[in-house]
Amino acid sequence: MLDILILAAGKGTRMRSDLPKVLHPVGGKALVQHVADTARKVGGEHLLIIVGHGAEKVEEKMAAPDVKFVLQAQQLGTGHAVQQALPHLRNDATVLILYGDVPLTKAETLQKLISKVSDSQMGLLTVNMQNPTGYGRIVRDANKNVIAIVEHKDASDEQKKINEINTGIMAVKAKHLQKWLPALSNNNAQGEYYLTDIIAMAKADGTSIQVEQPDAVEEVEGINNRQQQAALERFYQQQKANELMVAGVTLLDPSRIDIRGNLTAGRDVVIDVNCVFEGDVVLGDGVVIEPNCVIINSKIGNLSQIKAFSHIEDSTLANGCDIGPYARLRPGTQLADDVKIGNFVETKKAVIAKGSKVNHLSYIGDAVIGSKVNVGAGTITCNYDGVNKSKTEIGDNAFIGSNSALVAPVKIAANSTIGAGSVITKNTEENDLAIARSQQRNIKGWERPTKK
Ligand code: UD1
Ligand code: CA
């Protein structure tokens, strides 16, 4: 039985932000959300989040059936924070203590830590740092057994030389916490109730302290300022890029891709530089993404090509589509196989059937377009009268001449042709040619005006 505590009451002064620190993102996801997601992975079916600064915002963001919020109105230290949760812990549970501003700990690392806990043992996650300044130091006896943690501000010069530091993350039986925490005092350099003081209590109580260490120091790094946030963001992105390459994706430069969500890619996908993926994005086999594309919550079918500087959101593309450069597919765009959307074309709620083309400078909104349709350069679906949105329908094999305005609601039947420059306000029937533009007059022998 596992209860997981996430400490998230601190202010985060050094972020210089109106947003509570734990709600700042890494990889597009709030820090404390990373922690909660990992907690769920290790089987924490009961999450307790200690909130204080910005409590309302944190609670709003993190509300879930398996989460309970515990208010720490005044932040009197990490030990005090855990004390607030004592009434909510289940007596025979193992308690894992995590920090809302330490986002990238691996579930496997925590699993190993938890496995060390028993009635006579607790687990402590430590790491060795070249520059341990500011951290709590791990004090060991002559037999290398951990006997205490000393905070930097309380450490002797000799203790300050210790490189092994406390990450803050630990796992311990609830009944031990129930026994030790009420005995904490704040008689120390910072006048705080230190959670770290329970280590010496455990030792005195005959509980042995088992140490676990993470694979990478970034796993236990916290975020206190924007620089640390940026550093962990890069580490996170590097990991994501690695995962993609291991899965067979070609990244032209793994240091120039940003994934803020879940990117799933098929075989032989190629992603050029400076692309951003947000939310859930699925790329089929053989998809090529050229430089500087932004793709959000979309699905792109096999062998489709997204050319440079395209922006795609909440859209679904079937196989063999050819998009951009400089295309913008807005929410509700659904393209069948082999559709071509060219440069400076914007689509929104546009359902386009197989093999149709919108190649240049168009706006296609609230439209259903059949197969093999050619939409000429500069065509606009006039879907908005200032109050209501209306629909444009275009049948299979229609040809829309350049610079046409299709004033919705309007239906262009299959096989009909629209003359270039037309303003179309009436439906057409199959095989019609519709021309709606003023007639050309040629005036013979026209003499140009002369300067007076
Ligand atoms: C703490 C540890 C230190 C460790 C370091 C790792 C203690 C006494 N010290 O120090 O040994 O090396 O973390 O980063 O535990 N928090 C609350 N309520 C409080 C105080 C803190 O929720 O009253 C939360 C903060 O929001 C933060 C975390 O606990 O997420 C750590 O608090 P912080 O003040 O940063 O602890 P440190 O002094 O860095
Ligand atoms: Ca800290």
Side-chain angles (χ1 to χ4, degrees), residues 102 127 129 131-138 149-155 159-160 162-168 196 217 220-224 228:
V102 179
V127 77
M129 281 197 176
N131 177 10
T133 305
Y135 290 98
R137 306 301 206 283
I138 307 298
I149 295 176
V150 187
E151 290 305 299
H152 181 89
K153 287 182 179 155
D154 300 285
Q159 288 169 328
K160 282 188 178 131
I162 299 172
N163 286 94
E164 188 184 9
I165 63 103
N166 172 34
T167 65
T196 45
V217 68
V220 293
E221 273 176 355
I223 288 175
N224 300 300
Q228 290 170 338

mmCIF file of all heavy atoms in Angstrom, residues 102 127 129 131-138 149-155 159-160 162-168 196 217 220-224 228:
data_model
loop_
_atom_site.group_PDB
_atom_site.id
_atom_site.type_symbol
_atom_site.label_atom_id
_atom_site.label_comp_id
_atom_site.label_asym_id
_atom_site.label_seq_id
_atom_site.Cartn_x
_atom_site.Cartn_y
_atom_site.Cartn_z
ATOM 1 N N VAL A 102 10.476 19.141 -8.604
ATOM 2 C CA VAL A 102 11.513 18.217 -9.111
ATOM 3 C C VAL A 102 10.826 17.301 -10.125
ATOM 4 O O VAL A 102 10.286 16.259 -9.765
ATOM 5 C CB VAL A 102 12.143 17.405 -7.952
ATOM 6 C CG1 VAL A 102 13.193 16.431 -8.466
ATOM 7 C CG2 VAL A 102 12.745 18.345 -6.907
ATOM 8 N N VAL A 127 22.486 11.841 -4.096
ATOM 9 C CA VAL A 127 23.261 11.961 -5.320
ATOM 10 C C VAL A 127 24.574 12.659 -4.964
ATOM 11 O O VAL A 127 24.640 13.391 -3.979
ATOM 12 C CB VAL A 127 22.453 12.714 -6.403
ATOM 13 C CG1 VAL A 127 22.421 14.208 -6.147
ATOM 14 C CG2 VAL A 127 22.963 12.426 -7.797
ATOM 15 N N MET A 129 27.395 15.362 -5.841
ATOM 16 C CA MET A 129 27.511 16.593 -6.622
ATOM 17 C C MET A 129 28.888 17.198 -6.447
ATOM 18 O O MET A 129 29.417 17.248 -5.347
ATOM 19 C CB MET A 129 26.476 17.607 -6.137
ATOM 20 C CG MET A 129 25.097 17.344 -6.650
ATOM 21 S SD MET A 129 24.094 18.807 -6.455
ATOM 22 C CE MET A 129 22.590 18.242 -7.239
ATOM 23 N N ASN A 131 29.561 20.346 -6.829
ATOM 24 C CA ASN A 131 29.367 21.524 -5.991
ATOM 25 C C ASN A 131 28.094 21.360 -5.176
ATOM 26 O O ASN A 131 26.999 21.676 -5.633
ATOM 27 C CB ASN A 131 29.283 22.776 -6.872
ATOM 28 C CG ASN A 131 29.007 24.012 -6.034
ATOM 29 O OD1 ASN A 131 29.066 23.968 -4.800
ATOM 30 N ND2 ASN A 131 28.679 25.108 -6.701
ATOM 31 N N PRO A 132 28.229 20.868 -3.939
ATOM 32 C CA PRO A 132 27.045 20.568 -3.122
ATOM 33 C C PRO A 132 26.497 21.760 -2.341
ATOM 34 O O PRO A 132 25.574 21.595 -1.535
ATOM 35 C CB PRO A 132 27.580 19.505 -2.158
ATOM 36 C CG PRO A 132 29.033 19.818 -2.006
ATOM 37 C CD PRO A 132 29.499 20.489 -3.259
ATOM 38 N N THR A 133 27.010 22.953 -2.620
ATOM 39 C CA THR A 133 26.592 24.142 -1.866
ATOM 40 C C THR A 133 25.071 24.290 -1.839
ATOM 41 O O THR A 133 24.415 24.181 -2.869
ATOM 42 C CB THR A 133 27.204 25.409 -2.504
ATOM 43 O OG1 THR A 133 28.606 25.232 -2.567
ATOM 44 C CG2 THR A 133 26.898 26.657 -1.671
ATOM 45 N N GLY A 134 24.553 24.516 -0.626
ATOM 46 C CA GLY A 134 23.122 24.770 -0.475
ATOM 47 C C GLY A 134 22.323 23.539 -0.110
ATOM 48 O O GLY A 134 21.229 23.649 0.436
ATOM 49 N N TYR A 135 22.844 22.361 -0.427
ATOM 50 C CA TYR A 135 22.084 21.125 -0.186
ATOM 51 C C TYR A 135 22.357 20.545 1.203
ATOM 52 O O TYR A 135 23.403 20.814 1.813
ATOM 53 C CB TYR A 135 22.470 20.069 -1.216
ATOM 54 C CG TYR A 135 21.983 20.405 -2.603
ATOM 55 C CD1 TYR A 135 22.827 21.000 -3.528
ATOM 56 C CD2 TYR A 135 20.668 20.133 -2.977
ATOM 57 C CE1 TYR A 135 22.391 21.310 -4.807
ATOM 58 C CE2 TYR A 135 20.222 20.439 -4.255
ATOM 59 C CZ TYR A 135 21.082 21.029 -5.165
ATOM 60 O OH TYR A 135 20.632 21.337 -6.413
ATOM 61 N N GLY A 136 21.441 19.710 1.664
ATOM 62 C CA GLY A 136 21.668 18.935 2.878
ATOM 63 C C GLY A 136 22.709 17.859 2.603
ATOM 64 O O GLY A 136 22.680 17.219 1.553
ATOM 65 N N ARG A 137 23.651 17.677 3.539
ATOM 66 C CA ARG A 137 24.721 16.683 3.340
ATOM 67 C C ARG A 137 24.377 15.366 4.052
ATOM 68 O O ARG A 137 23.802 15.364 5.147
ATOM 69 C CB ARG A 137 26.050 17.193 3.898
ATOM 70 C CG ARG A 137 26.492 18.538 3.381
ATOM 71 C CD ARG A 137 26.659 18.561 1.859
ATOM 72 N NE ARG A 137 27.614 19.587 1.486
ATOM 73 C CZ ARG A 137 27.343 20.889 1.458
ATOM 74 N NH1 ARG A 137 26.132 21.317 1.754
ATOM 75 N NH2 ARG A 137 28.289 21.747 1.127
ATOM 76 N N ILE A 138 24.773 14.275 3.420
ATOM 77 C CA ILE A 138 24.547 12.942 3.974
ATOM 78 C C ILE A 138 25.734 12.586 4.880
ATOM 79 O O ILE A 138 26.865 12.477 4.415
ATOM 80 C CB ILE A 138 24.438 11.882 2.854
ATOM 81 C CG1 ILE A 138 23.386 12.306 1.810
ATOM 82 C CG2 ILE A 138 24.134 10.510 3.432
ATOM 83 C CD1 ILE A 138 21.970 12.449 2.322
ATOM 84 N N ILE A 149 21.268 13.760 8.287
ATOM 85 C CA ILE A 149 21.418 14.762 7.228
ATOM 86 C C ILE A 149 21.634 16.101 7.928
ATOM 87 O O ILE A 149 20.910 16.435 8.881
ATOM 88 C CB ILE A 149 20.166 14.848 6.337
ATOM 89 C CG1 ILE A 149 19.971 13.525 5.584
ATOM 90 C CG2 ILE A 149 20.291 16.005 5.332
ATOM 91 C CD1 ILE A 149 18.695 13.479 4.756
ATOM 92 N N VAL A 150 22.638 16.827 7.456
ATOM 93 C CA VAL A 150 22.874 18.160 8.013
ATOM 94 C C VAL A 150 22.630 19.173 6.908
ATOM 95 O O VAL A 150 23.210 19.076 5.820
ATOM 96 C CB VAL A 150 24.336 18.315 8.512
ATOM 97 C CG1 VAL A 150 24.486 19.647 9.244
ATOM 98 C CG2 VAL A 150 24.712 17.159 9.399
ATOM 99 N N GLU A 151 21.761 20.147 7.175
ATOM 100 C CA GLU A 151 21.514 21.196 6.189
ATOM 101 C C GLU A 151 22.760 22.059 6.012
ATOM 102 O O GLU A 151 23.544 22.233 6.954
ATOM 103 C CB GLU A 151 20.320 22.059 6.635
ATOM 104 C CG GLU A 151 18.999 21.338 6.564
ATOM 105 C CD GLU A 151 18.735 20.764 5.171
ATOM 106 O OE1 GLU A 151 18.656 21.533 4.204
ATOM 107 O OE2 GLU A 151 18.613 19.521 5.047
ATOM 108 N N HIS A 152 22.928 22.597 4.824
ATOM 109 C CA HIS A 152 24.122 23.400 4.520
ATOM 110 C C HIS A 152 24.358 24.473 5.583
ATOM 111 O O HIS A 152 25.466 24.639 6.088
ATOM 112 C CB HIS A 152 23.982 24.051 3.139
ATOM 113 C CG HIS A 152 25.168 24.867 2.728
ATOM 114 N ND1 HIS A 152 26.239 24.332 2.044
ATOM 115 C CD2 HIS A 152 25.478 26.173 2.948
ATOM 116 C CE1 HIS A 152 27.147 25.285 1.843
ATOM 117 N NE2 HIS A 152 26.705 26.413 2.379
ATOM 118 N N LYS A 153 23.267 25.168 5.945
ATOM 119 C CA LYS A 153 23.422 26.291 6.884
ATOM 120 C C LYS A 153 23.762 25.848 8.302
ATOM 121 O O LYS A 153 24.187 26.671 9.127
ATOM 122 C CB LYS A 153 22.150 27.143 6.896
ATOM 123 C CG LYS A 153 22.019 27.971 5.628
ATOM 124 C CD LYS A 153 20.793 28.861 5.618
ATOM 125 C CE LYS A 153 20.756 29.667 4.325
ATOM 126 N NZ LYS A 153 19.403 30.092 3.957
ATOM 127 N N ASP A 154 23.558 24.566 8.584
ATOM 128 C CA ASP A 154 23.874 24.063 9.919
ATOM 129 C C ASP A 154 25.156 23.230 9.924
ATOM 130 O O ASP A 154 25.569 22.747 10.976
ATOM 131 C CB ASP A 154 22.720 23.177 10.424
ATOM 132 C CG ASP A 154 21.416 23.946 10.502
ATOM 133 O OD1 ASP A 154 21.266 24.754 11.437
ATOM 134 O OD2 ASP A 154 20.563 23.779 9.607
ATOM 135 N N ALA A 155 25.764 23.073 8.738
ATOM 136 C CA ALA A 155 26.896 22.137 8.633
ATOM 137 C C ALA A 155 28.208 22.764 9.119
ATOM 138 O O ALA A 155 28.422 23.972 8.974
ATOM 139 C CB ALA A 155 27.054 21.688 7.185
ATOM 140 N N GLN A 159 31.791 19.032 7.474
ATOM 141 C CA GLN A 159 30.594 18.454 6.839
ATOM 142 C C GLN A 159 30.313 19.099 5.468
ATOM 143 O O GLN A 159 29.813 18.437 4.558
ATOM 144 C CB GLN A 159 29.377 18.630 7.760
ATOM 145 C CG GLN A 159 29.443 17.707 8.980
ATOM 146 C CD GLN A 159 28.404 18.058 10.030
ATOM 147 O OE1 GLN A 159 28.034 19.225 10.193
ATOM 148 N NE2 GLN A 159 27.961 17.053 10.776
ATOM 149 N N LYS A 160 30.673 20.348 5.322
ATOM 150 C CA LYS A 160 30.434 21.027 4.038
ATOM 151 C C LYS A 160 31.249 20.406 2.903
ATOM 152 O O LYS A 160 30.948 20.605 1.723
ATOM 153 C CB LYS A 160 30.749 22.521 4.146
ATOM 154 C CG LYS A 160 29.637 23.295 4.841
ATOM 155 C CD LYS A 160 29.838 24.792 4.777
ATOM 156 C CE LYS A 160 28.676 25.494 5.452
ATOM 157 N NZ LYS A 160 29.080 26.514 6.418
ATOM 158 N N ILE A 162 31.386 17.273 2.334
ATOM 159 C CA ILE A 162 30.720 16.042 1.868
ATOM 160 C C ILE A 162 30.027 16.313 0.533
ATOM 161 O O ILE A 162 29.291 17.285 0.395
ATOM 162 C CB ILE A 162 29.680 15.569 2.914
ATOM 163 C CG1 ILE A 162 30.374 15.268 4.245
ATOM 164 C CG2 ILE A 162 28.901 14.365 2.397
ATOM 165 C CD1 ILE A 162 29.407 14.986 5.386
ATOM 166 N N ASN A 163 30.280 15.451 -0.449
ATOM 167 C CA ASN A 163 29.699 15.629 -1.785
ATOM 168 C C ASN A 163 28.360 14.919 -1.972
ATOM 169 O O ASN A 163 27.637 15.200 -2.920
ATOM 170 C CB ASN A 163 30.654 15.109 -2.857
ATOM 171 C CG ASN A 163 31.815 16.043 -3.048
ATOM 172 O OD1 ASN A 163 32.866 15.861 -2.449
ATOM 173 N ND2 ASN A 163 31.604 17.082 -3.836
ATOM 174 N N GLU A 164 28.091 13.984 -1.084
ATOM 175 C CA GLU A 164 26.819 13.266 -1.223
ATOM 176 C C GLU A 164 25.712 14.109 -0.588
ATOM 177 O O GLU A 164 25.797 14.469 0.587
ATOM 178 C CB GLU A 164 26.894 11.899 -0.529
ATOM 179 C CG GLU A 164 25.667 11.052 -0.814
ATOM 180 C CD GLU A 164 25.643 9.713 -0.064
ATOM 181 O OE1 GLU A 164 26.506 9.513 0.819
ATOM 182 O OE2 GLU A 164 24.780 8.894 -0.362
ATOM 183 N N ILE A 165 24.679 14.424 -1.402
ATOM 184 C CA ILE A 165 23.635 15.318 -0.889
ATOM 185 C C ILE A 165 22.263 14.648 -0.861
ATOM 186 O O ILE A 165 22.018 13.643 -1.531
ATOM 187 C CB ILE A 165 23.563 16.622 -1.715
ATOM 188 C CG1 ILE A 165 23.168 16.349 -3.170
ATOM 189 C CG2 ILE A 165 24.874 17.401 -1.655
ATOM 190 C CD1 ILE A 165 21.757 16.670 -3.503
ATOM 191 N N ASN A 166 21.396 15.260 -0.090
ATOM 192 C CA ASN A 166 20.016 14.814 0.022
ATOM 193 C C ASN A 166 19.202 15.388 -1.130
ATOM 194 O O ASN A 166 19.167 16.594 -1.324
ATOM 195 C CB ASN A 166 19.460 15.329 1.368
ATOM 196 C CG ASN A 166 17.969 15.088 1.506
ATOM 197 O OD1 ASN A 166 17.438 14.089 1.026
ATOM 198 N ND2 ASN A 166 17.293 16.009 2.177
ATOM 199 N N THR A 167 18.553 14.519 -1.894
ATOM 200 C CA THR A 167 17.682 15.014 -2.968
ATOM 201 C C THR A 167 16.356 15.490 -2.390
ATOM 202 O O THR A 167 15.621 16.208 -3.058
ATOM 203 C CB THR A 167 17.358 13.898 -3.982
ATOM 204 O OG1 THR A 167 16.597 12.883 -3.306
ATOM 205 C CG2 THR A 167 18.631 13.300 -4.576
ATOM 206 N N GLY A 168 16.057 15.058 -1.166
ATOM 207 C CA GLY A 168 14.780 15.376 -0.539
ATOM 208 C C GLY A 168 13.791 14.232 -0.672
ATOM 209 O O GLY A 168 12.867 14.094 0.118
ATOM 210 N N THR A 196 14.465 16.499 7.195
ATOM 211 C CA THR A 196 15.730 15.767 7.196
ATOM 212 C C THR A 196 16.153 15.299 8.588
ATOM 213 O O THR A 196 16.959 14.388 8.717
ATOM 214 C CB THR A 196 16.818 16.651 6.589
ATOM 215 O OG1 THR A 196 16.713 17.969 7.144
ATOM 216 C CG2 THR A 196 16.665 16.750 5.086
ATOM 217 N N VAL A 217 21.861 13.044 -12.647
ATOM 218 C CA VAL A 217 21.598 14.055 -11.614
ATOM 219 C C VAL A 217 20.366 14.890 -11.962
ATOM 220 O O VAL A 217 19.625 15.339 -11.079
ATOM 221 C CB VAL A 217 22.859 14.919 -11.370
ATOM 222 C CG1 VAL A 217 23.193 15.784 -12.565
ATOM 223 C CG2 VAL A 217 22.682 15.790 -10.130
ATOM 224 N N VAL A 220 16.951 14.426 -10.273
ATOM 225 C CA VAL A 220 16.625 14.907 -8.919
ATOM 226 C C VAL A 220 16.808 16.413 -8.794
ATOM 227 O O VAL A 220 16.745 16.967 -7.709
ATOM 228 C CB VAL A 220 17.474 14.175 -7.856
ATOM 229 C CG1 VAL A 220 17.072 12.708 -7.806
ATOM 230 C CG2 VAL A 220 18.962 14.302 -8.123
ATOM 231 N N GLU A 221 17.045 17.070 -9.928
ATOM 232 C CA GLU A 221 17.219 18.514 -9.877
ATOM 233 C C GLU A 221 15.875 19.226 -9.768
ATOM 234 O O GLU A 221 14.916 18.902 -10.461
ATOM 235 C CB GLU A 221 17.995 19.013 -11.102
ATOM 236 C CG GLU A 221 19.487 18.942 -10.837
ATOM 237 C CD GLU A 221 20.353 19.318 -12.019
ATOM 238 O OE1 GLU A 221 19.823 19.558 -13.122
ATOM 239 O OE2 GLU A 221 21.579 19.343 -11.839
ATOM 240 N N GLY A 222 15.841 20.209 -8.891
ATOM 241 C CA GLY A 222 14.640 21.019 -8.714
ATOM 242 C C GLY A 222 14.765 22.296 -9.514
ATOM 243 O O GLY A 222 15.831 22.648 -10.009
ATOM 244 N N ILE A 223 13.629 22.978 -9.646
ATOM 245 C CA ILE A 223 13.621 24.235 -10.387
ATOM 246 C C ILE A 223 13.296 25.375 -9.424
ATOM 247 O O ILE A 223 12.238 25.384 -8.797
ATOM 248 C CB ILE A 223 12.603 24.156 -11.544
ATOM 249 C CG1 ILE A 223 13.163 23.221 -12.611
ATOM 250 C CG2 ILE A 223 12.323 25.544 -12.114
ATOM 251 C CD1 ILE A 223 12.229 22.939 -13.753
ATOM 252 N N ASN A 224 14.235 26.288 -9.308
ATOM 253 C CA ASN A 224 14.027 27.455 -8.445
ATOM 254 C C ASN A 224 14.031 28.759 -9.219
ATOM 255 O O ASN A 224 13.580 29.778 -8.726
ATOM 256 C CB ASN A 224 15.121 27.520 -7.372
ATOM 257 C CG ASN A 224 15.104 26.280 -6.493
ATOM 258 O OD1 ASN A 224 14.106 25.996 -5.841
ATOM 259 N ND2 ASN A 224 16.176 25.516 -6.517
ATOM 260 N N GLN A 228 17.334 27.357 -14.279
ATOM 261 C CA GLN A 228 17.220 25.919 -14.006
ATOM 262 C C GLN A 228 16.072 25.312 -14.812
ATOM 263 O O GLN A 228 16.161 24.169 -15.280
ATOM 264 C CB GLN A 228 17.001 25.695 -12.501
ATOM 265 C CG GLN A 228 18.248 26.018 -11.686
ATOM 266 C CD GLN A 228 17.973 26.031 -10.189
ATOM 267 O OE1 GLN A 228 16.830 26.202 -9.748
ATOM 268 N NE2 GLN A 228 19.023 25.858 -9.403
#
